Amino acid sequence: MSLPDDPRVRHVLALGDDSLISAQRMGWWVSRAPELEEDVALANIGLDQLGQARMLLGHAGDLEGRGRTEDDLAYWRDERDFTNVCLVEREQTDFGVAIARLLLFATWQHELWTALRGSTDPTLAAIAAKAVKEVDYHVDHARLWTLRLGDGTEESHRRMQAALDAEWGWAAELFDGSHLGSGLVEDGTAVDPATLREPVLRRVGEVLERATLSVPETPPAVARGREGRHTEQMGYLLAEMQHLTRSHPGATW
């Protein structure tokens, strides 16, 4: 395990890993969504997240100054070197779980990017300004599906509530700022994740109320993704994502 020493690099890298791993999970739904239009919508959301990951990993590489590109950081790091939150790495083969996770993650990202538009890191501020417009659509998409499933049939309501119960505890890691280096919040580079908790939970709660769903009472999961400690499923995800590059180093189309 070799996490960067520079707190600025660790910060940007963590945000890039969040988007990259979430994009990989979202890609699983291509050809598997419940309807053709949804297949396209989830693919587009995944591509937005991938675009954010590319900008963030590229910026992390520039800050690091070791010549590593976005591809190096995506394909040539081992599991313990990734610092994404565990929420985004777990399997989501149930559509309700995919929507519940998107609602939580996209609402958090929307608050995060909105705040980071004022970052004193001009590149990060520019990435946030672009990303917040994309994530606004992600939030709305998750909201509409949560309403449709929660306030739908007895079966869809039951499964949507079960999905929320399963994801809720893992969202707690989104608000943990213990991984941030000293000075990043104070100098305006980063946002204290704890300050995002109230607006995120309030916005999600409003959606759940309209969807006739209950706010879960699930306790926080033990999640240390920001420290490079991941769930069992992370290794399988990386094996699939990195397989081609590692099998054929230097290959080009």
Side-chain angles (χ1 to χ4, degrees):
M1 180 180 180
S2 57
L3 296 182
D5 294 329
D6 189 330
R8 297 174 305 160
V9 178
R10 289 203 304 272
H11 174 232
V12 176
L13 204 52
L15 299 181
D17 288 345
D18 287 343
S19 295
L20 177 67
I21 300 303
S22 183
Q24 179 70 15
R25 280 296 183 220
M26 197 60 71
W28 185 88
W29 283 99
V30 175
S31 80
R32 295 183 173 95
E35 55 190 37
L36 183 58
E37 187 177 35
E38 186 60 15
D39 200 296
V40 175
L42 293 182
N44 283 331
I45 290 172
L47 287 173
D48 285 344
Q49 294 173 336
L50 184 61
Q52 293 160 18
R54 292 188 61 191
M55 290 187 289
L56 289 162
L57 295 183
H59 183 39
D62 291 340
L63 289 173
E64 184 183 52
R66 293 173 51 194
R68 292 201 291 182
T69 67
E70 62 189 48
D71 288 335
D72 295 329
L73 292 169
Y75 297 123
W76 292 101
R77 282 186 296 154
D78 295 329
E79 178 179 330
R80 292 290 298 275
D81 298 325
F82 281 81
T83 53
N84 54 279
V85 291
C86 292
L87 173 72
V88 298
E89 72 192 37
R90 296 158 45 254
E91 286 186 347
Q92 51 172 7
T93 55
D94 182 278
F95 185 67
V97 169
I99 294 301
R101 187 177 303 177
L102 182 62
L103 179 68
L104 292 166
F105 183 62
T107 304
W108 172 78
Q109 274 197 321
H110 193 269
E111 292 294 329
L112 175 74
W113 295 135
T114 297
L116 284 179
R117 289 182 303 179
S119 172
T120 52
D121 176 338
T123 302
L124 185 57
I127 293 172
K130 180 178 186 301
V132 73
K133 299 174 185 174
E134 299 169 343
V135 175
D136 187 50
Y137 162 73
H138 304 173
V139 173
D140 192 52
H141 192 78
R143 181 183 64 83
L144 292 175
W145 267 108
T146 301
L147 295 174
R148 185 175 174 183
L149 295 174
D151 199 20
T153 66
E154 182 178 340
E155 172 70 7
S156 70
H157 178 91
R158 182 189 65 77
R159 291 180 62 176
M160 192 64 214
Q161 184 65 60
L164 281 166
D165 293 345
E167 296 304 293
W168 196 263
W170 294 96
E173 192 181 12
L174 295 170
F175 310 114
D176 181 4
S178 60
H179 65 288
L180 290 175
S182 61
L184 286 186
V185 174
E186 290 78 5
D187 70 11
T189 300
V191 174
D192 182 355
T195 64
L196 306 179
R197 181 193 303 274
E198 189 281 329
V200 170
L201 296 185
R202 175 174 46 77
R203 290 177 63 184
V204 170
E206 290 170 356
V207 176
L208 300 188
E209 182 177 4
R210 286 191 58 198
T212 72
L213 293 162
S214 301
V215 175
E217 298 181 356
T218 315
V222 178
R224 296 180 178 176
R226 294 294 195 217
E227 300 173 11
R229 299 174 183 273
H230 297 280
T231 64
E232 180 182 358
Q233 296 166 36
M234 182 68 169
Y236 295 103
L237 181 151
L238 290 180
E240 181 177 8
M241 189 180 81
Q242 298 178 335
H243 170 71
L244 185 62
T245 301
R246 289 182 180 251
S247 299
H248 305 282
T252 58
W253 291 99

